[in-house]
């Protein structure tokens, strides 16, 4: 991950916080997904009064990309927190990790977590989803 892509992803994910629809939890999440061709697909969490239809920011980004015919990805950046304050890392939930397993090589795909103080942590999907169930099964 070069510096240019890294800062573009953090900026795009952070900008998504303003679109987060989280009236029930007030936990706002933004994501920015980098496709193999360099294009960025963004997403936010979208909650629902019935709770279970809620969609996470990561899946919003993935589904936007896949619905446009894009299936090859390099990395995703996830940011958020209570009230949209990025004071801590927001790691992807298990369901989102499973969606990543469907479209990404766990050995290569990178998950970037960032805070507003400039800290960021980068993980490989294989480390956040050990022994994950995927296409090879
Ligand atoms: N959320 C995400 O958007 N991504 C995650 O990976 C973790 C959780 C959202 C779902 C819900 O709207 C809120 O955060 C609180 O769980």
């Amino acid at each position: 991950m070069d510096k240019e892509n890294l800062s573009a992803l953090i900026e795009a994910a952070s900008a998504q916080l303003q679109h987060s629809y989280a009236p029930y939890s007030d936990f706002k999440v933004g994501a920015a997904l980098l496709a193999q061709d360099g294009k960025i697909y963004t997403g936010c969490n979208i909650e629902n009064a019935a709770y279970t239809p809620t969609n996470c920011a990561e899946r919003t980004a993935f589904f936007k990309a896949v619905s446009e015919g894009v299936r090859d990805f390099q990395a995703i950046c996830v940011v958020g927190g209570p009230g949209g304050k990025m004071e801590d890392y927001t790691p992807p939930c298990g369901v989102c990790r499973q969606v990543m397993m469907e479209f990404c090589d766990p050995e290569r795909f990178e998950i970037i977590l960032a805070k507003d103080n400039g800290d960021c942590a980068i993980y490989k999907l294989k480390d956040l989803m050990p022994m994950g169930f995927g296409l090879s099964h």
Side-chain angles (χ1 to χ4, degrees):
M1 173 64 45
D2 58 59
K3 267 193 171 175
E4 238 172 66
N5 271 329
L6 183 62
S7 52
L9 284 174
I10 295 172
E11 199 178 312
S14 308
Q16 277 294 301
L17 293 173
Q18 68 186 304
H19 301 308
S20 162
Y21 178 72
Y24 306 104
S25 72
D26 195 40
F27 195 100
K28 298 180 186 215
V29 186
L33 176 63
L34 181 63
Q36 211 64 57
D37 67 1
K39 197 170 165 194
I40 292 175
Y41 295 84
T42 57
C44 63
N45 56 331
I46 305 167
E47 297 188 345
N48 189 280
Y51 289 19
T52 53
T54 292
N55 206 52
C56 289
E58 300 91 316
R59 277 177 289 143
T60 302
F62 267 93
F63 296 159
K64 280 168 71 178
V66 173
S67 68
E68 291 185 20
V70 177
R71 294 184 191 163
D72 298 315
F73 305 105
Q74 303 181 42
I76 192 167
C77 174
V78 190
V79 301
K85 289 193 184 121
M86 299 164 45
E87 286 171 0
D88 210 342
Y89 293 135
T90 298
C93 79
V95 173
C96 289
R97 293 179 202 201
Q98 186 63 44
V99 167
M100 292 173 198
M101 284 295 295
E102 189 67 24
F103 295 107
C104 308
D105 177 354
E107 301 277 336
R108 299 172 56 121
F109 186 71
E110 292 182 317
I111 296 164
I112 300 156
L113 309 180
K115 298 186 203 176
D116 58 7
N117 67 0
D119 283 357
C120 82
I122 305 182
Y123 300 90
K124 289 270 162 57
L125 178 55
K126 67 170 179 186
D127 296 318
L128 295 190
M129 194 71 172
M131 217 177 171
F133 189 82
L135 300 186
S136 62
H137 299 100

